[in-house]
């Protein structure tokens, strides 16, 4: 049986009213999804490009070094009611550490580092019957050993670094004998060291980075032989700790010829 005229008119009315609304909604949904997919594609591509630009690629060679200097002064004064006595001790330290490295993976380098440091002190004493001792030669440390360093780039130009190093060290330290200010004892030692130093790096151009650090963790073991020392001719010492502070501040520059 056929539909009544009224029923046919109702179907035509509802079909014409509902079908275009559904097609429009479907078109808007696909349009929104396509726009989101385009945005995510662009963001993903930009992130990949940024990572590629900021990474230091495997196979890159690095040539660099760090340098630091610190100075501090300790002053004391005493008055016994008749005279004033003063003591002033000025300590200074110079540090220099060149290195050469090779990136075995993106942002990860291994290499060889050298280290040299020199510490000197000057004591000045004033007051009746007091003399200042002659300055001693600088205490020095020379080190050489391999290292591994990782770069965590936060942007194309700025990143964090962490360097782990181990190696051999040789030390020299002169000091006055406790029994006489005229006898100089020379302590010569050798041993090994290990250390970890975090830092920051800034790349003004891709091939050159400027770095800074303020200390780190260390372990040291040294066997020492002394001359003119009545207390003994040899000793062993070891130490582990953390050294952070302005007096440990070092700046560096590294050239990346293949970057």
């Amino acid at each position: 049986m056929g539909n009544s005229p009224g029923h046919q008119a109702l179907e035509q009315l509802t079909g014409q009213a509902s079908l275009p609304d559904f097609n429009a909604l479907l078109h808007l949904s696909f349009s929104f999804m396509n726009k989101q997919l385009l945005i995510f594609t662009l963001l993903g591509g930009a992130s990949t490009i940024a990572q590629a630009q900021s990474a230091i690629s495997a196979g890159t060679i690095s040539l660099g070094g760090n340098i630091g200097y610190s100075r501090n002064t300790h002053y004391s004064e005493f008055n016994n009611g008749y005279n004033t006595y003063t003591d002033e001790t000025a300590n200074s330290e110079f540090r220099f550490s060149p290195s050469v490295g090779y990136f075995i993976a993106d942002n990860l380098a291994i290499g060889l580092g050298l280290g040299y440091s020199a510490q000197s002190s000057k004591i000045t004493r004033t007051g009746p019957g007091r003399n200042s001792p002659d300055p001693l030669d600088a205490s020095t440390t020379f080190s050489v050993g391999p290292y591994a360093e990782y770069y965590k780039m936060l942007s194309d130009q700025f990143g964090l670094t962490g360097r782990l190093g181990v190696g051999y060290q040789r030390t020299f330290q002169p000091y006055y004998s406790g029994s006489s200010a005229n006898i100089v004892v020379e302590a010569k030692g050798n041993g090994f060291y290990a250390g970890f130093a975090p830092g920051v790096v800034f790349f003004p151009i891709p091939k050159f980075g400027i770095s800074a650090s303020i200390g780190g963790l260390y372990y040291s073991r040294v066997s020492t032989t002394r001359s003119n020392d009545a207390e003994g001719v040899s000793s062993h010492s070891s130490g582990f700790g953390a050294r952070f502070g302005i007096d440990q501040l070092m700046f560096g520059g590294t050239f990346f010829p293949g970057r």
Side-chain angles (χ1 to χ4, degrees):
M1 295 178 61
N3 295 331
S4 65
H7 186 68
Q8 291 177 354
L10 181 59
E11 285 183 347
Q12 292 177 358
L13 181 61
T14 55
Q16 291 176 356
S18 60
L19 188 57
D21 290 342
F22 176 76
N23 289 334
L25 181 60
L26 188 62
H27 176 73
L28 288 175
S29 299
F30 276 112
S31 177
F32 180 73
M33 290 174 64
N34 288 334
K35 288 180 180 180
Q36 280 195 326
L37 180 61
L38 178 61
I39 291 173
F40 286 134
T41 301
L42 292 176
L43 290 177
S47 176
T48 302
I49 293 174
Q51 290 179 359
Q53 289 177 344
S54 63
I56 304 176
S57 302
T60 302
I61 296 174
S62 64
L63 303 170
N66 298 313
I67 190 170
Y69 177 80
S70 63
R71 180 181 175 86
N72 63 78
T73 301
H74 177 73
Y75 178 83
S76 63
E77 182 177 308
F78 170 73
N79 188 297
N80 62 2
Y82 302 96
N83 299 296
T84 299
Y85 301 86
T86 66
D87 286 289
E88 183 180 86
T89 303
N91 302 307
S92 62
E93 181 179 9
F94 170 78
R95 302 178 300 276
F96 177 61
S97 56
S99 62
V100 57
Y102 178 79
F103 282 78
I104 59 174
D106 289 356
N107 296 331
L108 177 62
I110 60 173
L112 182 68
L114 303 177
Y116 173 79
S117 68
Q119 297 176 323
S120 60
S121 298
K122 181 180 180 181
I123 301 174
T124 304
R125 295 169 178 165
T126 65
R130 307 187 77 201
N131 296 316
S132 300
D134 294 332
L136 294 171
D137 293 336
S139 300
T140 59
T141 300
F142 172 78
S143 61
V144 57
Y147 72 86
E149 186 169 24
Y150 182 73
Y151 287 72
K152 175 62 177 178
M153 300 304 300
L154 304 179
S155 69
D156 288 349
Q157 293 183 297
F158 181 77
L160 305 176
T161 65
R163 174 179 287 202
L164 176 66
V166 297
Y168 169 81
Q169 62 179 345
R170 190 175 184 88
T171 64
F172 170 77
Q173 181 182 6
Y175 59 92
Y176 286 109
S177 173
S179 59
S180 174
N182 298 321
I183 299 178
V184 177
V185 177
E186 294 184 349
K188 299 179 180 180
N190 61 83
F192 64 92
Y193 71 90
F196 174 77
V200 296
V201 62
F202 173 73
F203 287 89
I205 58 174
K207 291 183 179 294
F208 184 74
I210 301 172
S211 60
S213 63
I214 56 170
L217 304 176
Y218 75 93
Y219 174 79
S220 175
R221 181 174 176 82
V222 177
S223 297
T224 303
T225 301
R226 300 185 295 242
S227 64
N228 302 329
D229 188 358
E231 298 177 356
V233 295
S234 64
S235 63
H236 303 276
S237 63
S238 62
F240 172 78
R243 294 172 181 163
F244 291 96
I246 296 299
D247 61 335
Q248 299 295 316
L249 177 64
M250 293 188 72
F251 291 101
T254 305
F255 179 54
F256 302 84
R259 193 179 185 207

